[in-house]
Structures are given as structure tokens and as C-alpha cells.
Amino acid sequence: MIGHSPSEAARLSGFSLDTLRYYEKIGLLNGVSRTSGGRRVFTDDDLGWLGLFRCLRDTGMPIAQMCRYAELAREGEHTARERQELLERHAERVEEQMALLRRQYDHLRDKIRYYEGVSGGVRAG
Amino acid sequence: MIGHSPSEAARLSGFSLDTLRYYEKIGLLNGVSRTSGGRRVFTDDDLGWLGLFRCLRDTGMPIAQMCRYAELAREGEHTARERQELLERHAERVEEQMALLRRQYDHLRDKIRYYEGVSGGVRAG
DNA sequence: TTCCAACCTGGAGCGCGCTCCAGGTCAAGC
DNA sequence: GCTTGACCTGGAGCGCGCTCCAGGTTGGAA
């Protein structure tokens, strides 16, 4: 539970320093503690949140929705169901996203296969 | 080989009218023919290109790179190898993208599973 | 004590990919 | 001929998610 410096938090989370500050500024990251000199100290719990944000961002969740989730979590245990539903709906969108990505990847592979064949008669690129 | 109206092209390609015009403006879509009155007529070949652009966009290729590809295609058959390599490199990035997406999806599902368990002791959201 | 790298703040700026708008033209149906 | 809706152009504007900047502070090492 020793704190982490901003640069350490950046390294561990994969977010830039500016992004960490930005996340705090918009209220996504809440209550990050400070040294007496005013410098941020990230706890393991903060890093846990950052890990979640990393997951949600990588799967395409808009920041506004992550803010909503974080806010719910701050409101306490009685919002657990709503948070769960939020994540569930997101997971469903991710599934669609994965399906689309796979379909288009297959198209792309087909296209490449045309090029691998004899070099004649390829249309539309 | 009958031409398609702009709105038809939009419907068939899934791009908006504005996007079709934008793609032509930046030179991604090239040489779209016109009626005597100045209105666009999209050929099946144009739609083929739009289908490719749809595939590439859905898989996250930046527009600049699609422009590069289209330009190469215009230069003729001798750029076939370079185009193939461009697509191949893109396909590899898509594979990484899919792997990341799956990993993060699994994390997300883990997270949801915590909520499905008893409602106690959940950290970081 | 002095140095310097890491950190702080508020706010402006940016890159991307569209999206919207004003003001005008075209053409099919009545 | 008139209406109406689809279309045209050039250019401004937007939403997102950062990213950068200026100018100042902090704090550990030499």
C-alpha cells in the first residue's frame, strides 16, 4: 500500500502523465492523495481503477460512460446492480465489435489472397 | 453497371452522403462520374471501393493510409506488391487488435463475474 | 547550498473524421 | 409552369480524447 509517483503510475498503467492529470481533472479519478508539497501519490487502489479504465478504454467505452460508472461506485454499494448492468451492456457491445472485426478481418484476408494469386484482374484496388 | 444515386450509394455502403462527398474531396474516391447536371453517379466499381474502405475503416486503418493505398492502385499494376504488403501489415495490426480486444473482454467478463457473486468486497469499482 | 529533474496549475491547441450550414441548382410529378 | 426534394459547393464547426505549453514549485543528490 506504499504510494506510487506519477511517473510510476504512468508506467504501470500505460497512461501518460498528462492523461492521468486529465482523468483527475474531469473527475474520473477521484481523491488522489498528495504529499505535503502537493505532488500526487497513487495508491494500489488508484492503480486498480486505472487498470479498469485501461480495460474499458481498450474496448472502446467512451470516457463519459466511465465517469458515470466511477460516480456510481462512489455512491456506494447500493449502485452495484446498476454498475453491473452498465458493464454487461458494454460487454455485449464489445462482442458485436469483435464479431464485426473478425468479419472484416476475413474480408481483408480474402483481399490479400487475391494479391497472392496471379497478378491479373483485380478490381476495386 | 447502371449507376447509383448518391443516396443509394450511401445506403449500400453505409457511409453518409457527407462522408461520400468528403472522401471524394480528399481524393480517396477518385473520378466519380457526373450527370450533365453535375450530380454524382456511383458505379459498381465505386461501390466496390467503398466496400473496401468500409472494411479498412472498420478495422481501424487511418484515412491517410487508405489514400496511400488508393493512390498506389491508380498508379497501375506495378504497385500490386506494395499494395499487398500494405494490406498485409494492416492485417497484422488487426490481429494484434483482436488479441487485445479479446484479452480485455475476458477481464471485463471477470469483473462482471465479481458482481454476479455475493455483493461484498469489490475493490476498484 | 545549489542544482536539476520531476512535478505542479490553468488553459490553449491539436489531430482525426466527419458533420453541418448557407445559399444555390436540378429534375420528376402535378 | 410550379413545387418539392434530392443534390450541388465551399467552408466553418464539432466532439473526442488527449497533448502541449508557460511559468512556477519541490525535493533528493552532489
Side-chain angles (χ1 to χ4, degrees), chain A residues 2-72:
Chain A
I2 281 173
H4 304 270
S5 72
S7 59
E8 215 175 332
R11 189 175 52 79
L12 292 172
S13 67
F15 291 113
S16 74
L17 287 170
D18 269 320
T19 298
L20 294 181
R21 288 194 273 257
Y22 168 70
Y23 281 1
E24 194 180 350
K25 180 151 55 180
I26 63 174
L28 181 54
L29 219 47
N30 194 259
V32 175
S33 65
R34 305 296 182 110
T35 65
S36 58
R39 293 168 178 217
R40 289 176 182 80
V41 177
F42 293 85
T43 64
D44 287 344
D45 194 58
D46 291 329
L47 288 176
W49 275 100
L50 288 173
L52 177 59
F53 296 155
R54 166 60 57 213
C55 168
L56 297 177
R57 288 296 296 127
D58 282 350
T59 51
M61 182 183 281
I63 284 184
Q65 214 165 120
M66 303 199 310
C67 285
R68 170 83 182 130
Y69 180 89
E71 202 183 333
L72 284 172

Side-chain angles (χ1 to χ4, degrees), chain B:
Chain B
M1 260 307 192
I2 280 171
H4 304 270
S5 72
S7 59
E8 215 175 333
R11 188 175 53 78
L12 293 172
S13 67
F15 291 113
S16 75
L17 287 170
D18 269 321
T19 298
L20 293 181
R21 289 193 272 259
Y22 169 69
Y23 280 1
E24 194 180 349
K25 181 150 55 178
I26 63 175
L28 181 53
L29 219 47
N30 193 257
V32 176
S33 66
R34 304 295 182 111
T35 65
S36 57
R39 293 166 177 219
R40 289 175 183 79
V41 177
F42 293 85
T43 64
D44 287 344
D45 194 58
D46 292 329
L47 289 177
W49 274 100
L50 288 172
L52 177 59
F53 296 154
R54 167 61 55 213
C55 168
L56 297 177
R57 288 297 296 128
D58 283 349
T59 51
M61 182 183 281
I63 284 185
Q65 213 165 122
M66 302 199 311
C67 284
R68 170 81 182 132
Y69 181 89
E71 201 184 332
L72 284 172
R74 267 172 241 136
E75 284 176 20
E77 200 50 45
H78 70 282
T79 66
R81 178 161 226 93
E82 194 172 347
R83 276 177 278 155
Q84 181 186 344
E85 283 166 6
L86 194 156
L87 293 187
E88 181 61 50
R89 282 194 301 276
H90 179 59
E92 283 160 17
R93 281 189 296 273
V94 175
E95 282 164 24
E96 289 163 21
Q97 202 188 147
M98 289 192 299
L100 173 62
L101 196 53
R102 155 131 299 149
R103 269 204 310 284
Q104 298 293 39
Y105 174 76
D106 290 344
H107 290 164
L108 184 54
R109 278 290 169 210
D110 282 351
K111 185 81 188 170
I112 292 172
R113 222 166 287 128
Y114 275 115
Y115 279 109
E116 283 167 352
V118 197
S119 57
V122 178
R123 289 191 175 270

